Amino acid sequence: MPAVIVNEDRCQCSQVCVTACPYDAIGLISNDRGRAVAHIYENCIDCLLCISACPQQAIMLVSTYGLSAELEVYNGVWVVVADTSVKAQQLVTQATKLAQTLHAPTGVILLGADSQCEVLMTAGATTVVPLAAVASDRQAYLADDLLQFVDERQPEALLFADQALVRDLACQLAFRLQIDVLTSIRDVASELSERRLWFQRSVLDQRVHTAIAIDTRPLLAVV
Ligand code: SF4
Ligand code: SF4
């Protein structure tokens, strides 16, 4: 099922989207009220180009791999760390400052058990989730577990510590969600304030960036 839908009340039948779609996945149909409107067919590959093409903002993202397009359902800034080192604590403190601007809590996903996890609470975290505890094979299933975590908790931003295992996990998650990874907390703050997200998609064998102004999360960053 395509991740985009047409808001028929907004559609003015300009057919701009029909021309913009590289996959011939949009056509015109007559709706229940006898009005000609754009329609997305099943061969849509979710490249999202039609969203920015439509002058009426009539095409909307309804889901991407289980993610909702409604910003309101996303909550919290989560930090992913591999240990409870001073560097990890500092990242939690930075994330907490960012979370405070959103009036949101700060959570930590800790890859692996660490008896010192209370230091992360002292640094500002309200929750610490040991992700490896639910992974039967840590290396192979961490990305799956994190994807499931994103689906269930719907974080607004995920900040990955610049540590080898964590960086790798960020790349895997970004690939699975088909979204870019930011590289600084300043970028995350800016994106959160702009409430805009860039999607990267393969379109006819080329990587294409699409900016959409609707609010889709999470933001991912390696910092
Ligand atoms: S570009 Fe927008 S307004 Fe024009 S036909 Fe497509 S959905 Fe409708
Ligand atoms: S998302 Fe891409 S493939 Fe799908 S209808 Fe829009 S332009 Fe076509």
Side-chain angles (χ1 to χ4, degrees):
M1 188 178 166
V4 290
I5 58 166
V6 175
N7 179 334
E8 295 183 358
D9 290 333
R10 285 193 182 180
C11 178
Q12 296 295 316
C13 198
S14 65
Q15 302 191 52
V16 173
C17 57
V18 176
T19 307
C21 176
Y23 295 94
D24 294 329
I26 312 182
L28 294 184
I29 60 163
S30 180
N31 71 4
D32 297 346
R33 287 167 281 167
R35 253 188 86 221
V37 291
H39 180 76
I40 313 286
Y41 294 112
E42 287 297 317
N43 61 316
C44 164
I45 60 111
D46 300 337
C47 74
L48 309 183
L49 289 179
C50 54
I51 290 180
S52 45
C54 174
Q56 304 298 324
Q57 282 91 48
I59 303 180
M60 301 181 300
L61 183 71
V62 284
S63 70
T64 303
Y65 306 98
L67 301 180
S68 167
E70 298 294 327
L71 183 64
E72 288 69 27
V73 304
Y74 292 95
N75 189 32
V77 174
W78 286 80
V79 176
V80 185
V81 292
D83 53 41
T84 57
S85 62
V86 172
K87 197 174 164 191
Q89 294 170 43
Q90 288 170 343
L91 181 54
V92 172
T93 302
Q94 278 184 293
T96 302
K97 286 182 190 157
L98 180 64
Q100 283 167 350
T101 67
L102 301 168
H103 306 289
T106 311
V108 174
I109 298 168
L110 180 59
L111 307 182
D114 192 319
S115 56
Q116 302 299 313
C117 68
E118 67 272 8
V119 296
L120 300 175
M121 308 289 277
T122 306
T126 50
T127 316
V128 177
V129 175
L131 194 62
V134 295
S136 49
D137 179 319
R138 190 173 166 195
Q139 292 287 335
Y141 295 110
L142 275 178
D144 287 341
D145 288 345
L146 194 53
L147 204 57
Q148 188 180 342
F149 175 90
V150 167
D151 205 27
E152 288 171 1
R153 301 279 188 117
Q154 303 201 311
E156 193 160 0
L158 272 169
L159 308 181
F160 294 83
D162 194 4
Q163 300 167 308
L165 172 66
V166 184
R167 242 188 347 255
D168 185 49
L169 192 57
C171 292
Q172 289 183 50
L173 189 68
F175 180 76
R176 302 275 287 272
L177 295 173
Q178 291 279 290
I179 55 181
D180 286 344
V181 181
L182 304 170
T183 51
S184 79
I185 284 200
R186 190 179 300 174
D187 287 346
V188 174
S190 159
E191 290 283 340
L192 285 173
S193 63
E194 277 188 28
R195 300 163 90 84
R196 177 180 292 268
L197 190 67
W198 287 85
F199 280 82
Q200 191 178 323
R201 286 284 189 277
S202 284
V203 179
L204 299 177
D205 295 330
Q206 290 190 337
R207 299 303 285 176
V208 171
H209 284 78
T210 310
I212 57 174
I214 64 169
D215 303 314
T216 307
R217 295 292 187 266
L219 292 178
L220 304 183
V222 174
V223 292

